[in-house]
Amino acid sequence: QKEVEQNSGPLSVPEGAIASLNCTYSDRGSQSFFWYRQYSGKSPELIMFIYSNGDKEDGRFTAQLNKASQYVSLLIRDSQPSDSATYLCAVVPSGGYNKLIFGAGTRLAVHP
Amino acid sequence: ETGVTQSPTHLIKTRGQQVTLRCSSQSGHNTVSWYQQALGQGPQFIFQYYREEENGRGNFPPRFSGLQFPNYSSELNVNALELDDSALYLCASSPDRQGYGYTFGSGTRLTVV
C-alpha cells in the first residue's frame, strides 16, 4: 500500500464546474496535509494546508480533512482552464516533522 | 524578498559521472530540503538540512550527499550517476524544521545518458 494515494486521472471537468480531487493516506498519526499545484515542467506551488478535521476555504479552493477515514480532498469551485495542472497531495507523517510524503498527483483538465 | 533559486536549470551528464546541484534558500529560511521527482511521480524526499546539519534522510543511497552553508544555501551531490537518476531535483526552503510553508525552487532537470 502506498503511503499517499491519489487517482492519477485525468479528471476532466467543464469550465465553471466544481472539480473534486481526493487523497487517502496510510499513516493514521499524520497531522498536517498539503495540496500543491504543478503545471507541466514547473515546480510545485502550495495551494492550501489543513491540520484539523473539517473544511478550510480559501477563495475558490476548499480543503476537507477526515482523519478518521484518513481522507483529504480539494474542491475547486468555478473551475477555469488555467486550473488545468497536476494536483499533488502531501502529508507530514507521524514523527516525520522534517519531510513531506507526496502522492503521485491527479491531473486535472478543465475544458472550455 | 527573494524566493528559492536553483542552478543550473538543466543538466546532461553521462552515466558514472558526478554532479553538484545548488540551491539558495528564501530569505529568513534556515531549513532546506531536497526532493527528487521522476516523470509522472510525486516528489520523493532525499534529505533535509537545518542550520548546516543533516536533519533527516529518505530512502536514497549514500552516493546522494549534501551540504548546507552558513548562509543556509545548499548543495546536492550525486556520485556515480545512473540512468534512473534522471529526474527533476527540487529544493525547498522553510523557516523552520517542520514541513510547513515549503517554498520550492524552480528545480534542476537532470538527464543522465
Side-chain angles (χ1 to χ4, degrees):
Chain A
Q1 182 188 11
K2 292 183 180 177
E3 293 178 89
V4 179
E5 296 208 51
Q6 296 181 255
N7 189 319
S8 62
L11 174 65
S12 183
V13 300
E15 185 175 354
I18 296 176
S20 177
L21 304 158
N22 305 314
C23 170
T24 59
Y25 59 94
S26 61
D27 183 350
R28 185 169 289 278
S30 299
Q31 295 294 321
S32 309
F33 308 86
F34 301 80
W35 282 100
Y36 284 82
R37 177 176 62 199
Q38 186 172 29
Y39 292 111
S40 180
K42 303 295 185 183
S43 63
E45 53 180 322
L46 181 65
I47 300 174
M48 294 191 68
F49 56 87
I50 185 168
Y51 308 143
S52 303
N53 275 329
D55 295 359
K56 179 181 178 182
E57 187 174 317
D58 184 0
R60 295 187 297 113
F61 299 97
T62 298
Q64 299 175 316
L65 175 61
N66 184 325
K67 289 185 179 180
S69 299
Q70 295 174 238
Y71 176 93
V72 58
S73 65
L74 179 71
L75 301 177
I76 306 175
R77 290 181 299 281
D78 188 24
S79 295
Q80 301 297 310
S82 59
D83 295 325
S84 298
T86 295
Y87 289 80
L88 298 163
C89 172
V91 173
V92 175
S94 57
Y97 59 86
N98 58 357
K99 67 181 180 183
L100 290 175
I101 306 295
F102 283 85
T106 297
R107 190 157 57 92
L108 173 66
V110 181
H111 54 86
Chain B
E1 178 181 278
T2 59
V4 179
T5 57
Q6 291 186 245
S7 62
T9 305
H10 295 87
L11 202 53
I12 299 175
K13 288 287 190 178
T14 302
R15 188 171 50 182
Q17 285 187 314
Q18 178 266 344
V19 68
T20 297
L21 310 181
R22 295 180 173 82
C23 171
S24 294
S25 60
Q26 184 169 327
S27 177
H29 287 189
N30 58 23
T31 303
V32 173
S33 304
W34 286 92
Y35 286 79
Q36 179 197 66
Q37 186 176 22
L39 201 60
Q41 301 297 316
Q44 283 198 298
F45 177 74
I46 303 175
F47 43 56
Q48 183 184 81
Y49 280 84
Y50 170 69
R51 295 188 175 181
E52 302 179 61
E53 297 287 331
E54 187 176 289
N55 186 48
R57 187 180 182 91
N59 189 26
F60 280 81
R63 58 189 186 84
F64 285 78
S65 63
L67 281 174
Q68 187 178 33
F69 300 100
N71 65 355
Y72 303 134
S73 65
S74 177
E75 285 183 354
L76 164 65
N77 298 290
V78 187
N79 293 322
L81 284 166
E82 301 177 0
L83 296 179
D84 284 349
D85 296 333
S86 296
L88 179 67
Y89 287 84
L90 296 162
C91 168
S93 74
S94 51
D96 53 38
R97 287 175 292 177
Q98 295 182 340
Y100 310 149
Y102 265 27
T103 301
F104 280 98
S106 56
T108 294
R109 172 75 60 187
L110 172 65
T111 302
V112 182
V113 297

